[in-house]
């Protein structure tokens, strides 16, 4: 299933500067594997050494945070937009 993935600025070095790329996969895990096959190393910035989503990276399938769905097993229907968003902290 083809999906589009929005890439945050910090990870665009992996995608040649593209802010949005296409990927294939019926789950988020499969989409990340496909991305990593085409943009080597990008998956390692999204998941940790144990294969879990990194703590300070938020991933949305459509408008839903995958941590409140099925995490990496979240289905990615055809045409879905996936957003990878680094967490922002700080302030006064």
């Amino acid at each position: 299933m083809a999906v589009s993935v929005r890439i945050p600025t910090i990870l665009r070095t992996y995608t040649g500067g593209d802010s949005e790329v296409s990927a294939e996969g019926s789950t988020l895990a499969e989409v990340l594997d496909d991305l990593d096959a085409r943009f080597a190393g990008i998956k390692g910035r999204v998941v940790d050494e144990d294969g879990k989503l990194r703590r300070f990276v938020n991933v949305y399938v459509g408008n839903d945070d995958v941590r409140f769905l099925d995490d990496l097993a979240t289905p990615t229907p055809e045409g879905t937009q996936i957003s990878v968003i680094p967490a922002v902290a700080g302030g006064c």
Side-chain angles (χ1 to χ4, degrees):
M1 297 184 190
V3 300
S4 64
V5 182
R6 297 183 69 188
I7 306 295
T9 303
I10 196 165
L11 297 182
R12 291 180 191 164
T13 55
Y14 292 94
T15 61
D18 291 342
S19 61
E20 189 166 320
V21 297
S22 295
E24 297 281 335
S26 60
T27 64
L28 179 57
E30 291 178 7
V31 168
L32 291 174
D33 286 342
D34 185 56
L35 280 179
D36 203 59
R38 295 187 304 125
F39 308 107
I42 196 168
K43 181 180 176 182
R45 300 293 304 270
V46 179
V47 299
D48 64 18
E49 302 77 25
D50 296 325
K52 298 179 180 175
L53 287 176
R54 290 190 179 277
R55 184 174 175 194
F56 297 109
V57 176
N58 299 310
V59 180
Y60 291 81
V61 172
N63 293 321
D64 298 314
D65 186 335
V66 299
R67 292 182 204 274
F68 299 104
L69 299 173
D70 293 326
D71 212 62
L72 292 171
T74 299
T76 54
E78 178 80 22
T80 296
Q81 184 169 62
I82 297 171
S83 300
V84 178
I85 302 172
V88 177
C92 49

